[in-house]
Amino acid sequence: MKRYLGCMFFALMVLLCGCGRDVPGEGGDRGKEGPWQRVDTAMGTVIQQTVYGAQETAELFSEDVMEMLYQMEREELSWRLDTSQVYRINRSAGLEEGCALSEELAGLLEACQELSVRSEGAFDVTLGRLTSLWNIDQWSTEENMTQFQIPSGKELEAAVESCGSSKMKIVRNAESAGTEPDSGRARIWLPEGMRLDLGAVGKGLALSRISRLLEEREEMGGAVISLGGSVLTYGVKPDGSPWKVGIVDPADPSSHLGILTLEGQWCVSTSGDYERYVEADGVRYHHILDPATGYPAQSGVGGVTVLVKDGLLSDGLSTACFILGPEQGMELAEAYGAETLFVMQDGSIRMSEGMETYFSR
Ligand code: ADP
Ligand code: MG
């Protein structure tokens, strides 16, 4: 139930994107250009696509997007499916020979490693043992909500010990090309006990790939595509008006406290304590963990939105900024050329100077 509430909040976030009609092809010439809308689920979240262009081209595009997302989950990112690279990498932890991986995934993990260094360890995709200890991906079901038990201090300590992006070793152009599926010239070694969890960047990576797909299809006019808390805007609407992306109010996630007005291609990611959480003994635990303590991060942030051209950066930075809080977070994002908007738990708003151009109440 909670998951569906969360999904509704995300859907609401993009309702403001200027997609007034949901009946495709209605009335006049403009109807021939859309908007065409489609809603699915993938990567554990709601995928909402609004695309402009000729109907057949648009529908084919939306279908291809979904196929790409399913494939990413199945073959690259899932830590549950034994068909994915992340699953195989996790299983190889501690092995002397390590594990082969695609060049693209190696590049993604290197970027994550860099973000980990620059965020002083706040962002860390090697915290898979911590996220499974908290059982985050099971929080969505009502049954598990009532059965939830906080991990013990000892368990958390051991899981914290297993984390640390600097302990993950990646080699590009490895001498011994692997024989495993997907093996390119890259290899990775995880120490025993370490597990990857790419939940903080998977959707962002997908946004960048969708953006590339749009570039290849010149006949597509424009699109706004939301994968849960990460949104891609692309191109132009037939009437030339800008995209509008709503910023959810963490204190009341069914409403917005403002909008971003954007032109052309952007990636907007939000990380918030209201997106996924569980309650035990009257205490609420959310899904963004501080790798230093093993507990949900306590930075006073209710939600943080990052605006930048690249999806991996918007998604990764929003998670990092949530943990770091506004001072350190803004500095980090600025170093990556990204704009930030922090909504604090006390309701106050802090934003980077550049964000003021796009945000309005
Ligand atoms: P969402 O996935 O809900 O959009 P985020 O992008 O902020 O939100 O990612 C949160 C997910 O990232 C968690 O569910 C978990 O899988 C993973 N995660 C939690 N804490 C961290 C962290 N400190 N560094 C990297 N990944 C994290
Ligand atoms: Mg993220």
Side-chain angles (χ1 to χ4, degrees):
M1 180 62 185
K2 283 264 160 46
R3 180 175 64 185
Y4 291 108
L5 281 178
C7 294
M8 276 168 55
F9 300 147
F10 289 141
L12 256 170
M13 184 170 159
V14 287
L15 268 182
L16 284 169
C17 291
C19 325
R21 279 177 318 187
D22 57 6
V23 182
E26 251 183 279
D29 279 340
R30 274 232 273 128
K32 289 179 189 161
E33 300 170 329
W36 314 107
Q37 300 193 316
R38 176 177 167 149
V39 180
D40 301 86
T41 50
M43 295 182 156
T45 193
V46 174
I47 314 296
Q48 190 163 320
Q49 303 188 55
T50 302
V51 297
Y52 293 85
Q55 182 170 11
E56 214 173 304
T57 320
E59 283 176 356
L60 186 67
F61 170 78
S62 293
E63 187 66 39
D64 289 348
V65 165
M66 289 317 300
E67 191 41 55
M68 186 174 82
L69 296 182
Y70 296 137
Q71 191 177 351
M72 281 180 75
E73 203 173 3
R74 190 174 62 235
E75 295 177 12
E76 290 178 272
L77 303 178
S78 170
W79 59 268
R80 280 194 176 280
L81 301 174
D82 62 7
T83 45
S84 86
Q85 292 194 59
V86 164
Y87 182 94
R88 279 198 293 277
I89 292 168
N90 282 344
R91 212 182 37 182
S92 78
L95 293 183
E96 205 179 316
E97 66 268 30
C99 185
L101 78 167
S102 68
E103 286 291 329
E104 200 155 12
L105 191 56
L108 166 76
L109 290 173
E110 281 177 348
C112 289
Q113 235 172 359
E114 187 186 331
L115 184 51
S116 177
V117 172
R118 291 171 76 165
S119 66
E120 294 178 0
F123 177 85
D124 189 352
V125 292
T126 67
L127 49 47
R129 277 193 63 196
L130 265 179
T131 51
S132 28
L133 196 54
W134 282 94
N135 225 352
I136 289 175
D137 67 335
Q138 296 298 311
W139 288 358
S140 41
T141 62
E142 197 75 27
E143 192 189 338
N144 283 300
M145 299 284 288
T146 52
Q147 285 174 1
F148 178 71
Q149 287 212 326
I150 306 158
S152 74
K154 251 204 158 94
E155 288 173 307
L156 284 170
E157 224 173 90
V160 164
E161 219 17 61
S162 76
C163 306
S165 288
S166 61
K167 293 186 262 177
M168 149 173 91
K169 184 180 158 200
I170 299 164
V171 175
R172 312 284 283 267
N173 295 316
E175 288 284 301
S176 58
T179 51
E180 300 95 325
D182 300 312
S183 66
R185 308 262 315 146
R187 282 194 96 73
I188 184 168
W189 287 261
L190 300 187
E192 199 168 346
M194 182 180 275
R195 299 284 179 272
L196 298 181
D197 172 353
L198 299 188
V201 286
K203 284 167 254 166
L205 175 68
L207 287 192
S208 291
R209 291 195 186 164
I210 295 169
S211 184
R212 249 187 278 159
L213 198 62
L214 277 159
E215 278 164 25
E216 287 163 15
R217 312 253 169 121
E218 282 168 21
E219 62 281 18
M220 294 290 306
V224 54
I225 295 174
S226 93
L227 318 185
S230 285
V231 182
L232 168 75
T233 64
Y234 184 92
V236 285
K237 273 194 269 181
D239 66 3
S241 62
W243 305 113
K244 294 192 186 294
V245 178
I247 303 289
V248 170
D249 180 358
D252 174 14
S254 63
S255 71
H256 293 101
L257 46 73
I259 53 169
L260 298 184
T261 303
L262 304 170
E263 284 181 14
Q265 194 269 354
W266 286 101
C267 291
V268 186
S269 290
T270 299
S271 290
D273 60 6
Y274 55 89
E275 286 174 340
R276 201 176 266 223
Y277 58 87
V278 71
E279 274 164 9
D281 301 329
V283 181
R284 199 162 129 171
Y285 299 89
H286 63 75
H287 70 318
I288 303 171
L289 305 175
D290 183 345
T293 64
Y295 284 92
Q298 304 273 359
S299 56
V301 178
V304 51
T305 298
V306 174
L307 173 71
V308 70
K309 297 284 176 181
D310 178 70
L312 177 63
L313 275 184
S314 68
D315 200 2
L317 281 171
S318 72
T319 308
C321 284
F322 185 95
I323 299 152
L324 291 174
E327 280 82 25
Q328 250 187 297
M330 223 177 263
E331 203 179 300
L332 172 72
E334 200 184 333
Y336 276 101
E339 303 300 343
T340 45
L341 186 146
F342 290 81
V343 185
M344 305 304 290
Q345 282 162 349
D346 65 10
S348 61
I349 292 182
R350 306 267 310 266
M351 69 182 113
S352 60
E353 215 178 302
M355 187 64 108
E356 287 170 18
T357 323
Y358 307 101
F359 179 73
S360 55
R361 284 262 187 187

